[in-house]
Amino acid sequence: MSTRILDVENLRMYYKTKEGYVKAVDNVSFKIEKGDFLGIAGESASGKTSLAMTILKLLPPNAEIKSGRILIDGIDITNMKESELRDIRWTKISLVPQGSMNALNPVFTIGGQIVEGIVEHKIMSKKDAWKRAEELLELVGIDKARVKSYPHELSGGMKQRVAIAMALSNNPDVVLLDEPTTALDVIVQANIMNLLRDLQAKLKMTMILITHDLSIIADLCNKVIIYYAGKIAEMGDSLSVYTKPLHPYTQGLLASFPNIRAKRQKLSYIPGTPPNLVNPPKGCRFHPRCPFAFERCRIEEPQLREIEPGHFVACHLY
Ligand code: ATP
Ligand code: SF4
Ligand code: MG
């Protein structure tokens, strides 16, 4: 029996702008199974949020899906109507958006905001929804007495927990978290990571976590995607990728990691800057920054290929 929960095939999503198309998601394919904890890492502006928003089809008007398919639990949502998608987003896959802890409405209580989401989907009565809101707060480690608190009465870590609680309202199969620990201090980050680990174990959920921080992925995730300039550079089991990184970009990211668990490390130390996604470099998009680049890299784009079972890389060296 297949336990496939998400299947992304040849997905391309470009933003139309005056300067041309921003190729933020450019031929991306990956699959995850039930119970996986996938980490997606990449530099700022590489297109991680764009990938998440394309998978959920929560796109701005200038976004165009140019090709590909998205299957959630075997259901093809690529051409689904918005009304059908709303239910899928609630019951099958939910999102903790980037910056969501700062997007809570200051004039409503946190309980009121959780209840609003539940009632909107007509799952239960308002009275039951308040009970559910209390349950959800306890699930994410907040005293249920806080249900009538306003966002300004909570710490940053508590607000992030509320954002996670909202995404869990209807026990979705997959939760996608976009930078859930950015902007939190190291201790609070560690608490949120522990919460995610506990939730996954308790609720048997599938999780996708987007982050700049490779040490968070090393701590939490069994699978990893290294994303570069709108494409997957490398993908595989975390152990395999971290112990035997194949792509020069991954190698660069990991090189200054003598002890990945001891040190928080942002992805900002590879020389050079990520390319403009309107006119990315020809051939391999990483070639201007790659210490191993050779002639072929400037001409031909490397395809993602399976080098060892479950370990994929897009690089002409292999
Ligand atoms: P960060 O780590 O900073 O959150 P990211 O990897 O999530 O970055 P995205 O937010 O997906 O990156 O942005 C990818 C590229 O798409 C960037 O160049 C960004 O400027 C561009 N972009 C994002 N939204 C739009 C839009 N609505 N219209 C045009 N370009 C956009
Ligand atoms: Fe470097 Fe060439 Fe591999 Fe790209 S394809 S990562 S430029 S060696
Ligand atoms: Mg982002």
Side-chain angles (χ1 to χ4, degrees):
M1 197 180 72
S2 168
T3 56
R4 180 81 37 80
I5 189 78
L6 176 67
D7 211 328
V8 173
E9 296 172 0
N10 308 109
L11 196 61
R12 279 196 176 83
M13 187 284 292
Y14 296 175
Y15 298 108
K16 195 171 189 175
T17 69
K18 277 196 291 246
E19 290 71 39
Y21 281 110
V22 179
K23 302 176 189 76
V25 180
D26 210 4
N27 204 12
V28 169
S29 300
F30 68 92
K31 302 170 180 19
I32 53 174
E33 311 292 326
K34 280 185 183 149
D36 272 341
F37 202 145
L38 168 71
I40 302 179
E43 285 164 298
S44 193
S46 56
K48 304 179 297 299
T49 296
S50 303
L51 176 60
M53 294 314 225
T54 309
I55 291 170
L56 283 140
K57 294 196 66 194
L58 285 168
L59 292 168
N62 67 330
E64 296 177 17
I65 296 184
K66 294 286 190 189
S67 73
R69 292 207 306 165
I70 307 151
L71 288 98
I72 296 173
D73 205 8
I75 305 167
D76 187 343
I77 68 154
T78 326
N79 298 308
M80 230 179 221
K81 288 203 292 277
E82 183 54 32
S83 54
E84 294 170 295
L85 280 169
R86 232 172 274 150
D87 285 342
I88 296 274
R89 280 192 214 113
W90 190 249
T91 58
K92 292 277 178 203
I93 185 162
S94 73
L95 173 73
V96 180
Q98 186 164 11
S100 52
M101 63 185 240
N102 298 317
L104 293 170
N105 191 326
V107 303
F108 294 110
T109 62
I110 54 168
Q113 294 179 61
I114 298 173
V115 166
E116 193 186 69
I118 297 172
V119 171
E120 195 188 308
H121 287 83
K122 302 187 181 66
I123 297 159
M124 54 181 81
S125 70
K126 202 157 189 177
K127 186 159 163 258
D128 289 341
W130 276 99
K131 254 195 241 131
R132 177 72 181 141
E134 289 182 354
E135 264 172 44
L136 286 163
L137 288 181
E138 301 246 286
L139 188 64
V140 298
I142 297 179
D143 187 338
K144 65 180 179 194
R146 288 288 204 154
V147 75
K148 293 280 168 64
S149 294
Y150 287 88
H152 73 266
E153 296 171 314
L154 305 182
S155 67
M158 286 166 95
K159 282 191 269 191
Q160 188 55 270
R161 285 168 192 263
V162 172
I164 293 169
M166 287 174 152
L168 299 177
S169 302
N170 200 35
N171 296 319
D173 297 327
V174 186
V175 179
L176 207 160
L177 303 113
D178 193 354
E179 306 272 8
T181 60
T182 307
L184 297 172
D185 71 49
V186 174
I187 307 276
V188 183
Q189 271 189 7
N191 292 340
I192 296 289
M193 283 161 59
N194 288 336
L195 170 68
L196 295 178
R197 191 183 288 115
D198 291 349
L199 284 174
Q200 203 213 14
K202 208 187 286 178
L203 305 176
K204 310 259 177 295
M205 245 173 212
T206 310
M207 293 204 180
I208 305 175
L209 183 138
I210 291 173
T211 179
H212 291 87
D213 193 331
L214 280 174
S215 55
I216 290 182
I217 295 183
D219 269 345
L220 290 178
C221 302
N222 66 319
K223 287 190 177 164
V224 60
I225 285 177
I226 306 291
Y227 203 70
Y228 186 78
K231 290 181 169 290
I232 295 177
E234 186 161 0
M235 161 169 87
D237 293 340
S238 301
L239 190 66
S240 182
V241 173
Y242 278 75
T243 54
K244 204 176 161 196
L246 299 174
H247 199 286
Y249 180 58
T250 318
Q251 290 169 359
L253 296 178
L254 291 170
S256 46
F257 257 1
N259 181 348
I260 200 155
R261 277 162 208 277
K263 197 170 162 220
R264 302 257 152 242
Q265 182 74 61
K266 301 280 183 225
L267 310 186
S268 57
Y269 46 84
I270 301 246
T273 48
N276 173 335
L277 293 179
V278 176
N279 284 311
K282 291 235 156 35
C284 173
R285 289 185 181 181
F286 187 58
H287 86 248
R289 298 169 77 185
C290 180
F292 306 106
F294 55 107
E295 197 47 35
R296 186 177 170 198
C297 308
R298 289 175 252 282
I299 303 161
E300 188 188 327
E301 188 181 320
Q303 301 303 313
L304 194 66
R305 287 192 304 123
E306 193 169 15
I307 301 299
E308 287 170 9
H311 193 159
F312 297 77
V313 69
C315 172
H316 291 312
L317 292 173
Y318 303 93

